Amino acid sequence: MSTIQTKAKTGKTAAKRNRKHFPALISSLFKIGFLGFGGGCALIPVMEKEIVENAKLVTQKEYDKDTLVACITPGALPIEIATGLGLSAYGITGMLSAALALALPGSLLTVLILALLSGADGLVLTEIQCFSIGVGAFISYLLLLYAINTLRESRNAASGNTRKTFLVMFAVFFLGCGKTFSNLPFMNGKYLFGLSTIQILGLAFFVILFTGGKNTPWKTAVSAVLVVLYALSAGHAHLIPGAVPRRVLVAAMYFCAAAGMILSIRDDLRAHRALLSGRNNLLHFLKEIIAWLLLLAVCALPALLLTEKTPLYLIRGFFSSIISFGGGDAYLSVADGLFVNSGMVTYREFYSLLVPVANVLPGSILSKILTGVGYYIGYNLNGSPVQGIAVAFAGFICSVVASGLVFCLVYHAYNSVEHITVFQKIGHWIRPIIAGLLLSVMCSMIQTSLNTAASIGIAVLPVFLVTCGIIVLNLSLMKKKSNPFMIAASSLIGLAASNLLLFFA
């Protein structure tokens, strides 16, 4: 029996053996939907702690694989990870149930709060912003903890692996954190790189594909030179100006990565290793497409009958999801162009009400924003919250379907090549790469809290000290208290401290 057949049989046996754990997986994801603040990459450590460490429903390797695929797929990252977890263990039923379980709580809370805020004054919004400062500090703690745990786990690997892990994390962080640090007084808004998540992942994959994960001196030197030149060209400062040099560099990296992958495949063939798997991937994917589209058609029907604006809203919502890379902040700019500038929702509804609410609630930012836009489209028909909820529900399903469908496409493509040695190297290094990205997200989260404080008239320095204090407190209590307790404590401390600072401002 071939290696692939053995793994396929093992996978089927594991799925049958774990079928009794299906309710546990769904309930865990539903719980994360209520407790997973921050959206996007910020939920990676939250989901890992609950599903891998606490409930032990999947292995670390399985979780890392789903995270890797989600990171290179546009859409709502937490929903995509949930889709992968459900799909690999329980097929189409697990895929749909897991994605909906994770996304529902945050989107539901968004609609409920928007309905309550329809006639609220500015004081309520100010309190929501104060609350978000403590939540942001707790999320920052989780992101820092993920990086710390990544370093700890690397100590159990081969000699010198900790140093390599640290260097990878630092390089990724250094390339991505520029925009956040540009807000420091002595930076005067200037920074060198500030590369996007997809650019950093592209560089990481190029290095791994070209070198094959081996420390060949000349390959290491060539890849380092190309990465530095690209960063200087594509970075914010554009130290190498012009589009032509950047295109030449990208072409050179594509060529080198392809050559490295071909050599890796050749070596695997010489070693008589099985390379491609999943002959039935296309059939499975077609079934999954049908399931996703049926879900959207059935759940969107009430909204389609309610208003003629629904089809255009869903088309734009689907499109906005599949072109969204880089987390919640990136999606806001996409949503602004498609929904605010087009007049589907007003500037006040989007930026003064929906965005602050979405930022403070748990769950995927993309799903919450698309759901909230739908609520206002329905509500503005004649001021009825019921109509708002109907269109919001269609938008919620659209966000889940778009993210899940595109994830399934990339998931099956990755399954077909994951047994090639060079792709196994990508799986090996994805955790420190993600840790570096999360450190950049942590800095952005802290910066967002400082901007929030400044917008409501609170001094920035005291809020920074409060944020750091909450992070240190959580690190000291992480082995003694549960996550729900620390979320509640962080939120209340942030709320009380912000109101105190606001009172003396």
Side-chain angles (χ1 to χ4, degrees):
M1 184 179 293
S2 70
T3 303
I4 302 304
Q5 290 174 325
T6 302
K7 290 188 175 182
K9 186 176 180 180
T10 302
K12 291 178 182 178
T13 303
K16 292 179 180 178
R17 184 176 66 246
N18 293 330
R19 197 167 297 279
K20 63 181 181 180
H21 299 311
F22 177 73
L25 176 64
I26 301 306
S27 63
S28 293
L29 290 169
F30 191 69
K31 175 183 175 182
I32 292 168
F34 276 108
L35 301 178
F37 292 91
C41 292
L43 264 66
I44 292 176
V46 179
M47 297 177 71
E48 179 180 298
K49 184 173 182 62
E50 176 64 27
I51 294 175
V52 180
E53 297 177 15
N54 294 346
K56 301 186 187 304
L57 295 172
V58 299
T59 65
Q60 184 68 59
K61 185 177 180 180
E62 291 169 333
Y63 181 78
D64 286 344
K65 174 186 172 180
D66 291 332
T67 302
L68 166 61
V69 176
C71 283
I72 59 176
T73 306
L77 186 144
I79 295 175
E80 290 167 349
I81 295 177
T83 299
L85 295 173
L87 177 64
S88 59
Y90 307 107
I92 290 177
T93 302
M95 170 188 80
L96 299 177
S97 302
L100 291 170
L102 180 77
L104 180 60
S107 297
L108 178 62
L109 290 172
T110 299
V111 171
L112 291 177
I113 293 180
L114 290 179
L116 293 174
L117 288 178
S118 297
D121 56 21
L123 180 60
V124 176
L125 295 177
T126 298
E127 291 304 310
I128 290 176
Q129 290 173 308
C130 290
F131 182 80
S132 71
I133 292 174
V135 172
F138 177 77
I139 297 168
S140 298
Y141 145 74
L142 289 178
L143 302 180
L144 179 60
L145 183 62
Y146 185 94
I148 293 172
N149 287 339
T150 299
L151 285 174
R152 285 175 178 169
E153 291 171 9
S154 69
R155 294 177 184 174
N156 298 325
S159 178
N161 203 53
T162 301
R163 180 174 61 86
K164 293 177 183 177
T165 299
F166 175 80
L167 289 175
V168 170
M169 288 169 53
F170 177 78
V172 171
F173 171 71
F174 181 70
L175 290 173
C177 69
K179 186 175 181 180
T180 300
F181 283 98
S182 68
N183 294 306
L184 295 174
F186 57 85
M187 295 294 290
N188 298 319
K190 298 178 181 179
Y191 57 100
L192 286 178
F193 303 124
L195 300 183
S196 68
T197 298
I198 194 62
Q199 287 176 315
I200 292 173
L201 288 173
L203 290 177
F205 292 164
F206 153 69
V207 172
I208 296 171
L209 290 174
F210 178 54
T211 64
K214 302 173 183 177
N215 292 323
T216 307
W218 76 271
K219 284 189 174 183
T220 302
V222 171
S223 61
V225 169
L226 288 175
V227 166
V228 171
L229 290 175
Y230 178 82
L232 294 175
S233 175
H236 181 264
H238 295 297
L239 296 180
I240 299 178
V244 174
R246 184 162 63 254
R247 290 171 184 168
V248 171
L249 286 168
V250 170
M253 287 190 289
Y254 271 121
F255 175 80
C256 291
M261 185 170 65
I262 291 171
L263 291 174
S264 178
I265 293 173
R266 183 200 65 183
D267 293 340
D268 284 350
L269 287 172
R270 287 178 175 175
H272 304 290
R273 293 172 184 160
L275 297 183
L276 299 180
S277 62
R279 294 180 180 178
N280 296 322
N281 275 351
L282 179 59
L283 180 60
H284 289 315
F285 178 56
L286 290 175
K287 291 180 179 178
E288 290 153 15
I289 289 178
I290 294 172
W292 284 121
L293 294 181
L294 281 175
L295 176 66
L296 179 60
V298 171
C299 294
L301 186 59
L304 290 169
L305 297 175
L306 186 63
T307 172
E308 60 185 13
K309 295 181 179 180
T310 300
L312 181 58
Y313 160 62
L314 293 179
I315 291 172
R316 290 183 176 180
F318 195 95
F319 178 71
S320 69
S321 299
I322 63 174
I323 65 170
S324 177
F325 276 105
D329 291 339
Y331 184 71
L332 291 181
S333 61
V334 174
D336 178 275
L338 290 173
F339 301 120
V340 180
N341 291 343
S342 65
M344 279 192 153
V345 294
T346 67
Y347 184 92
R348 178 182 176 275
E349 288 169 341
F350 189 79
Y351 284 105
S352 297
L353 296 171
L354 177 55
V355 172
V357 168
N359 282 335
V360 78
L361 290 177
S364 162
I365 296 292
L366 186 155
S367 184
K368 290 181 290 187
I369 291 294
L370 195 52
T371 301
V373 168
Y375 174 80
Y376 281 120
I377 290 173
Y379 179 80
N380 290 335
L381 292 174
N382 58 13
S384 169
V386 175
Q387 292 180 335
I389 292 171
V391 182
F393 181 65
F396 160 70
I397 295 296
C398 180
S399 70
V400 175
V401 168
S403 299
L405 194 154
V406 178
F407 173 86
C408 288
L409 172 63
V410 180
Y411 180 84
H412 287 300
Y414 182 80
N415 271 347
S416 298
V417 298
E418 67 172 329
H419 301 293
I420 299 174
T421 300
V422 72
F423 285 97
Q424 292 177 349
K425 294 293 184 181
I426 292 176
H428 175 75
W429 287 106
I430 190 61
R431 187 173 176 86
I433 292 170
I434 291 175
L437 291 172
L438 293 185
L439 288 175
S440 296
V441 174
M442 180 190 74
C443 293
S444 298
M445 192 71 62
I446 294 174
Q447 182 62 50
T448 299
S449 295
L450 300 183
N451 292 340
T452 298
S455 69
I456 57 178
I458 302 177
V460 169
L461 181 58
V463 172
F464 177 75
L465 295 176
V466 169
T467 299
C468 292
I470 293 174
I471 293 173
V472 172
L473 178 64
N474 279 295
L475 287 172
S476 64
L477 294 176
M478 62 181 181
K479 293 183 179 180
K480 303 176 183 177
K481 301 294 182 180
S482 63
N483 264 359
F485 173 85
M486 292 193 291
I487 292 173
S490 301
S491 303
L492 291 175
I493 292 172
L495 181 64
S498 299
N499 276 282
L500 189 63
L501 292 170
L502 190 60
F503 178 78
F504 289 104

